[in-house]
Amino acid sequence: MDVLQEMLTALRLSGGVFVASDFRAPWSVFSHFGPEDCARFFPVPRQLIAYHYVREGRMTCDLGDGMTMDVHEGEIVLLPQNVPHYLHGPWPRPAPIDAHEMLVHIGDDGIMRLRGGGNGTRVSLYCGYLGTTTPDNMLLQSLPPMMVISADAAGSDWVAKTLDFAAQSVATNSPEMVGKLAEGLFAEAVRRYVAALPDDHRGWLAGLRDAVVGKSLALIHQRYAENWTLDSLARQAAVSKSVLTDRFRAVIGESPMQYCARWRMKIAADMLRDQRQNACSVAYSVGFSSEAAFNRAFKREYGAPPATWAREALAA
């Protein structure tokens, strides 16, 4: 399993919620559905990933901070951190209306409906939401707040067909089936985004494409309980220690050993949050030879001992 696929799997996405939206110019909508809005469809997640697919027409997605993107028919705008945003039709635009106020009904097919605007140009959307139980996932943190992906990029209409099938079959398929379809959509869009990054891009996502850094990341992620040293990691990556350190710092922004320690603590935190193991078991699961050493390392990373942090995380 490659590192990107591993991170996508670690999101532990749950069911997709689809909203069929139709607007006619002039129109403007404020959109921000929270985890509690999805309680009817699946267990309340810690965080949502939002997206809007333009079936017909075009629109503008605006984050309200100066960042805007035009989204055309057959394109998808993804909001990995589910930031509040505005959806607009062409100028002139009326004052935005909260999307919650425009939900007219839930159809027999199980899809919520949004209708609004005037008598002008029509825009038709599918709005999707994925829930994740891991809001601090590194992948979500590394993605931009808004991405626009073409459904027919690379000569493929896989994304568009997936959306159409999911929306048409939401009444006859289980929520789990719809969620899997939406999860595949998100994964495909992220892969396309990573593949299109410029050569000089820096950061965790860029590291996935670097031959040296990518191999090292894969080793660290897949064998997190191993007692890695700079020397052993460099041997596995088939480079010198200096080359590995230089490449890692240039692309990721920290040393391999710093990243390794931080990733091990991230795995430990996920285990504690899941309540599958106590602190002692987690310590040995992530490669520590003593619970005391693990407690010290965990407190340095998260500011609290494992047991205390787990109680607070579960209460949040």
Side-chain angles (χ1 to χ4, degrees):
M1 181 184 296
D2 61 59
V3 180
L4 179 55
Q5 181 58 48
E6 181 176 312
M7 296 303 289
L8 287 166
T9 301
L11 281 172
R12 290 175 292 180
L13 297 174
S14 55
V17 178
F18 284 84
V19 180
S21 303
D22 283 284
F23 304 108
R24 289 188 178 273
W27 64 278
S28 183
V29 173
F30 172 73
S31 178
H32 187 232
F33 287 84
E36 65 281 357
D37 292 306
C38 298
R40 175 181 183 277
F41 299 91
F42 49 76
V44 177
R46 290 179 176 269
Q47 184 173 332
L48 289 181
I49 300 165
Y51 59 85
H52 306 284
Y53 169 58
V54 180
R55 301 173 62 196
E56 178 184 337
R58 58 176 294 182
M59 70 171 187
T60 299
C61 188
D62 179 359
L63 298 191
D65 60 357
M67 185 177 183
T68 64
M69 288 187 176
D70 291 330
V71 193
H72 300 83
E73 186 171 320
E75 292 183 335
I76 302 144
V77 58
L78 286 135
L79 300 110
Q81 296 97 32
N82 192 36
V83 295
H85 54 284
Y86 299 87
L87 305 177
H88 303 299
W91 293 99
R93 296 165 181 163
I97 300 176
D98 193 309
H100 288 85
E101 300 175 12
M102 301 176 70
L103 281 172
V104 293
H105 71 282
I106 297 178
D108 295 336
D109 55 7
I111 303 176
M112 294 187 289
R113 300 290 202 267
L114 280 179
R115 298 287 188 273
N119 298 310
T121 305
R122 180 173 181 260
V123 177
S124 178
L125 314 173
Y126 283 151
C127 303
Y129 300 89
L130 295 170
T132 174
T133 59
T134 55
D136 55 347
N137 183 277
M138 196 174 299
L139 175 59
L140 291 184
Q141 294 173 353
S142 300
L143 292 170
M146 177 167 58
M147 305 184 298
V148 172
I149 307 292
S150 174
D152 60 358
S156 170
D157 61 353
W158 181 90
V159 174
K161 286 181 178 179
T162 298
L163 278 165
D164 284 336
F165 178 77
Q168 292 167 11
S169 62
V170 70
T172 57
N173 284 308
S174 67
E176 291 78 11
M177 173 63 74
V178 175
K180 285 299 181 184
L181 289 169
E183 182 181 344
L185 163 70
F186 177 72
E188 177 74 5
V190 171
R191 287 190 177 280
R192 291 180 183 183
Y193 174 77
V194 172
L197 288 173
D199 292 338
D200 60 352
H201 189 82
R202 295 291 178 266
W204 184 82
L205 290 175
L208 301 180
R209 302 191 312 177
D210 184 277
V212 173
V213 176
K215 185 171 183 178
S216 301
L217 286 172
L219 290 167
I220 291 170
H221 280 235
Q222 294 166 8
R223 294 155 57 180
Y224 54 82
E226 193 157 329
N227 184 27
W228 289 111
T229 65
L230 183 59
D231 184 62
S232 62
L233 192 59
R235 282 199 307 271
Q236 289 288 330
V239 294
S240 68
K241 291 186 291 185
S242 60
V243 167
L244 176 60
T245 299
D246 291 346
R247 289 300 303 154
F248 225 91
R249 286 192 180 279
V251 177
I252 302 296
E254 62 184 334
S255 73
M257 292 299 96
Q258 287 173 322
Y259 182 91
C260 185
R262 191 159 56 86
W263 179 249
R264 185 174 292 168
M265 290 300 99
K266 171 66 171 62
I267 294 294
D270 286 345
M271 290 180 177
L272 290 167
R273 185 186 288 116
D274 288 344
Q275 295 183 281
R276 290 197 297 261
Q277 301 181 58
N278 59 29
C280 182
S281 297
V282 170
Y284 290 103
S285 295
V286 297
F288 282 83
S289 58
S290 75
E291 185 179 0
F294 168 67
N295 289 346
R296 290 192 296 270
F298 193 93
K299 187 175 181 179
R300 281 197 301 270
E301 182 68 22
Y302 288 99
T308 302
W309 181 90
R311 286 196 301 270
E312 293 175 351
L314 291 170

